[in-house]
Amino acid sequence: MKPPSRANHPAQARAPQDNRALVAPVYQSVKFTFDNVAEAEKHNRGEREGFQYSRVANPTLRQLELTLAELQGRDACLVTASGVAAVNLPLLSLCRQGDHVILFAEMYQPTRYMVRRWLARFGVTHTMLSIEDTDAIERTLASVPTRLVIFETPSNPMLKVADIARITAAARAAGALTVLDNTFAGFHNHGQFDVDIFVHSLTKYASGHGDVMGGAIIASRDLIASMERDFVVLGATLDPHAAFLIQRGLKTYFVRIERQQRNALAVAQFLERHALVQRVHYPGLASHAQHALAQRQMKDAGSIVTFELADSVDPARFAESLELFAISASLGSTESLVQPGRLMRPRDLNEEERRWAGVTDRTIRLSIGIEDEEDLLSDLDQALKNK
Ligand SMILES: Cc1ncc(COP(=O)(O)O)c(C=O)c1O
């Protein structure tokens, strides 16, 4: 072989069968080969296992999919290039012209956009409710034929807790599918409920280090199979190296979650006692409106703490005075983050919906990291007092 040929057909260095890599190798390959045409045809007809093209399937992605499905307690998963791609696929794939969707004012803004602007162009109607108003959800499901209910709990950023048992029961009785964006609660929560489809942004707690984006759709094998063809042509495929990084982040998921939520509870309790804080929204506090519900349906109260500053504290100055909390969007990293209300204002909502969403200029959302608890409390204290 002459050098240009060798450079394109590199030597193979295979590990012996009994000498495997402890960490699975990254299959950073778009294409997979077969020894002969007959085998390739068998694969195309679905008559043998294997891989052909990474937009359709890839072993590194498959490994992550198997792990995530098991963590969420379902039997199948599709990983996607981002969290929004995971939210959008069930909406695009499962809704038809004339279908009706229920969604909530307290949801992630791009999810609202997808339903209200994009699906509306294709004749899908919707009803927007407040996630706190379970009676209205039940009434709507009983009176309007509905294809799908998409919801989040705890909600962002006000941490309202949805009554999953009542919502899923009402949806099941009405023949509607439920899609739960479980990004805030995590894979270790909510698997026991009769939710049809879980979606997650892997960008947050799964990867945990703020350096990679991804999403996941987790459901029964039949539901995943019904969306798979649409997924392949939409093309929001996760890159194998991103999948590898997410898989690496997942190894410390439970350790991080445990530490982050312990820090978050300490922060919530500290802020609740603080004279310069008006009110704290954290499902782990007895003062939270749905504390009992949260305790019943979640294993922990999460690592987001939202609160209202006293009138005498300037929100921008407070955020800028913090040393350990970076002013940044997103959440779930090992380092703590802060978002003042002005950066989270929902611009697409009417007055009533904005009231449901509940964000004011005095609202502060904290994403709590794995730093030392005392350091976090003293940083918050100095920033509150730095008027
Ligand atoms: C609840 C929720 N769902 C979905 C997403 C979208 O995830 P991504 O940014 O990975 O697309 C986010 C991002 O902030 C989110 O908070």
Side-chain angles (χ1 to χ4, degrees):
M1 227 186 260
K2 297 205 170 59
S5 303
R6 172 53 75 208
N8 282 283
H9 298 268
Q12 302 278 324
R14 290 205 177 88
Q17 281 274 329
D18 62 349
N19 172 222
R20 288 171 294 276
L22 179 60
V23 176
V26 190
Y27 286 85
Q28 192 73 46
S29 180
V30 172
K31 289 154 278 190
F32 295 82
T33 65
F34 294 93
D35 284 345
N36 56 57
V37 175
E39 286 304 309
E41 277 184 314
K42 253 167 94 177
H43 179 268
N44 289 352
R45 288 196 300 268
E47 290 167 8
R48 59 156 286 170
E49 289 195 322
F51 299 89
Q52 187 227 23
Y53 192 60
S54 279
R55 178 156 46 70
V56 181
N58 169 291
T60 304
L61 271 57
R62 182 62 54 77
Q63 181 193 25
L64 180 60
E65 288 169 346
L66 292 170
T67 308
L68 295 177
E70 189 171 334
L71 291 182
Q72 187 63 86
R74 295 296 186 273
D75 49 26
C77 169
L78 279 175
V79 288
T80 58
S82 67
V84 289
V87 172
N88 292 340
L89 179 67
L91 292 169
L92 290 170
S93 189
L94 300 173
C95 294
R96 305 279 177 274
Q97 188 175 28
D99 280 349
H100 174 254
V101 170
I102 298 177
L103 79 162
F104 300 93
E106 295 92 336
M107 300 196 80
Y108 186 53
Q109 191 273 335
T111 307
R112 297 197 299 261
Y113 180 89
M114 190 58 177
V115 175
R116 300 174 86 198
R117 305 273 171 256
W118 195 316
L119 289 187
R121 288 182 212 156
F122 301 104
V124 176
T125 60
H126 67 267
T127 302
M128 173 107 91
L129 300 170
S130 167
I131 195 65
E132 280 180 307
D133 195 349
T134 317
D135 290 346
I137 302 170
E138 288 173 338
R139 265 199 316 276
T140 308
L141 279 165
S143 57
V144 186
T146 297
R147 172 65 173 150
L148 184 150
V149 182
I150 183 159
F151 67 113
E152 294 167 19
T153 181
S155 69
N156 176 24
M158 304 311 285
L159 307 176
K160 296 181 187 177
V161 179
D163 191 329
I164 306 177
R166 276 181 67 189
I167 293 170
T168 51
R172 186 68 67 213
L177 291 168
T178 46
V179 180
L180 171 53
D181 182 337
N182 212 22
T183 301
F184 266 54
F187 301 95
H188 58 295
N189 275 306
H190 301 153
Q192 75 274 27
F193 288 102
D194 185 22
V195 170
D196 291 304
I197 301 170
F198 289 97
V199 294
H200 287 266
S201 167
L202 305 179
T203 314
K204 315 291 176 343
Y205 297 101
S207 63
H209 294 76
D211 51 9
V212 61
M213 300 197 84
I217 306 156
I218 304 173
S220 67
R221 200 171 305 287
D222 284 351
L223 265 172
I224 291 290
S226 75
M227 293 184 276
E228 217 155 10
R229 273 187 83 86
D230 289 351
F231 175 64
V232 166
V233 298
L234 278 172
T237 315
L238 188 65
D239 182 77
H241 192 254
F244 167 77
L245 288 175
I246 294 166
Q247 179 69 66
R248 185 165 73 164
L250 265 185
K251 291 189 175 187
T252 54
Y253 173 84
F254 287 94
V255 180
R256 286 186 278 108
I257 290 286
E258 205 262 330
R259 170 71 174 240
Q260 282 172 295
Q261 78 87 31
R262 194 152 29 93
N263 276 349
L265 180 61
V267 164
Q269 288 168 338
F270 168 80
L271 292 173
E272 194 170 46
R273 288 192 302 269
H274 207 288
L276 296 170
V277 170
Q278 259 176 29
R279 186 166 167 212
V280 182
H281 313 274
Y282 184 67
L285 294 178
S287 57
H288 188 279
Q290 294 129 340
H291 176 63
L293 176 62
Q295 280 203 309
R296 258 199 329 274
Q297 69 182 30
M298 293 175 72
K299 295 196 172 91
D300 59 72
S303 59
I304 306 297
V305 179
T306 302
F307 66 101
E308 310 294 325
L309 286 167
D311 290 339
S312 58
V313 186
D314 176 64
R317 193 178 165 86
F318 165 75
E320 289 157 11
S321 305
L322 287 165
E323 281 168 16
L324 291 178
F325 294 74
I327 301 172
S328 173
S330 199
L331 54 119
S333 296
T334 55
E335 62 283 283
S336 294
L337 306 172
V338 58
Q339 271 293 78
R342 316 177 15 185
L343 300 180
M344 301 186 289
R345 251 184 233 141
R347 291 191 189 84
D348 60 318
L349 300 181
N350 65 30
E351 206 172 307
E352 182 183 37
E353 292 163 350
R354 269 205 301 276
R355 249 198 332 277
W356 292 341
V359 181
T360 73
D361 281 354
R362 313 217 62 74
T363 306
I364 301 283
R365 183 186 79 183
L366 302 175
S367 171
I368 306 296
I370 61 171
E371 298 94 338
D372 179 80
E373 178 188 310
E374 269 181 36
D375 284 349
L376 292 176
L377 301 188
S378 57
D379 193 26
L380 288 164
D381 192 42
Q382 67 76 20
L384 282 164
K385 289 174 178 158
N386 186 14
K387 293 187 273 177

